[in-house]
Amino acid sequence: MQEGLSEIQNQAKDDLAKAESLDAVEQVRTRYLGRKGGIINEIIKAIPGLPPEQRSSTGKSANMLKQEISKWIEDARVKLADKEQTSEAKEMFDLSLPGEHKPYGHRHPITQTIDEIKGIFRKLCFDIEYGPEVEHEYYNFDALNIPADHPSREDFDTFYLGNKRLLRSQTSTVQIRVMEKKKPPIRMIAPGKVFRPDTVDARHASMFHQIEGLTVDEGVSFSDLKYVLTLFAQSYFGQDVKMRFRPSFFPFTEPSAEIDISCSICKGKGCSVCSHSGWVEVLGAGMVDPNVFETVGYDAEKYTGFAFGMGVERLTMLRYGIDNIRLFFENDLRFLSQF
Ligand code: PHE
């Protein structure tokens, strides 16, 4: 009897190996494990007719074989089900269907302007530096020679965070941070976000971007400042751009200037972007105040330098004739995808 069982075992194994579909596996199952006429059940039914000493061992073996075959059948089913699923998926894949369009993203127009300006100044051998957006009052005001009673320190001009921390209101902070860690000669620009509690309108936002510039060396003069900024304006706006230097005041530069460029939208004739004046202010600049050099421990007798700060949104608006700063921050793809 035992021999018979192992023969059945081998036979079942062979049959399953040959079964190539779920239907075929089901046939194997009925043949061996079927309630009526299944081979194993027939053996179990025949046990009472065996000599008593064979009954219990045959029963045990038959049950073990039944379990074994059940397990093989289950394995075969899982394997075939996987196979049938993938071949079904293959049949469903229609190569002639048109492709799915995945839109490409691209850099934000403000990032594009920053990258372009970085490129212009890199050619002039300027380093690119960065500073923190959460700043200490010292870097935003004190070290920049801004007196305690200066209006830019007022609550309505600066976001204070408490504990002498604030959201920087200008990138001039990076001038100090760079001079603290490096010795002259220095030639750098520092792009980044700045924050001011301005009421939001077509030209103001509570966050915008600036690019700071600083050079320090022996013998740097105002004509170097003028030369570098003229080169910059011509590179960014084109050779025929006109510039106007107006005397101004910043606590950390002396003398100081505000720089206007001829409105690139109306070519100086007057339009809504330039408030019909033909000029737009794009930069603050000046020669570094000796007090600032003293604060960072530079010899103010030996070194001179110039600094400038420009508004990135303003430059981008002028370049493309955009009349509302909010468009940059609303994340409307109909606007953004035009750049
Ligand atoms: N930090 C000034 C501002 O935000 C601009 C500036 C930078 C002026 C450097 C002079 C020198 O208005």
Side-chain angles (χ1 to χ4, degrees), residues 94-150:
D94 181 353
L95 277 171
S96 68
L97 284 173
E100 223 178 274
H101 177 63
K102 294 261 192 301
Y104 282 116
H106 64 72
R107 288 169 305 154
H108 190 280
I110 295 299
T111 312
Q112 291 182 35
T113 304
I114 292 174
D115 288 349
E116 187 178 337
I117 295 174
K118 281 194 314 204
I120 293 170
F121 280 98
R122 262 199 208 105
K123 284 192 203 147
L124 299 171
C125 295
F126 280 62
D127 295 328
I128 317 287
E129 300 277 358
Y130 296 94
E133 289 164 7
V134 172
E135 258 299 6
H136 195 281
E137 269 185 52
Y138 175 79
Y139 292 98
N140 204 79
F141 296 124
D142 305 82
L144 286 163
N145 200 34
I146 299 177
D149 58 355
H150 193 274

Side-chain angles (χ1 to χ4, degrees), residues 81-105:
D82 276 357
K83 215 158 132 192
E84 280 180 17
Q85 241 172 28
T86 39
S87 60
E88 212 170 278
K90 256 187 218 143
E91 271 162 36
M92 277 166 61
F93 189 77
D94 181 353
L95 277 171
S96 68
L97 284 173
E100 223 178 274
H101 177 63
K102 294 261 192 301
Y104 282 116

Side-chain angles (χ1 to χ4, degrees), residues 172-186:
S172 302
T173 52
V174 190
Q175 290 187 33
I176 305 300
R177 288 189 170 270
V178 168
M179 287 192 279
E180 273 183 350
K181 64 172 199 238
K182 289 187 179 168
K183 295 258 157 295
I186 283 176

Side-chain angles (χ1 to χ4, degrees), residues 294-309:
E294 262 153 43
T295 304
V296 295
Y298 282 6
D299 184 347
E301 294 294 320
K302 190 169 168 195
Y303 295 113
T304 49
F306 64 79
F308 57 86

Side-chain angles (χ1 to χ4, degrees), residues 169-172 175 196 210 212-213 250 252-253 284-286 307-309:
S169 60
Q170 49 183 351
T171 44
S172 302
Q175 290 187 33
R196 295 183 193 175
Q210 285 187 332
E212 192 75 11
F250 297 102
F252 38 93
T253 48
F308 57 86

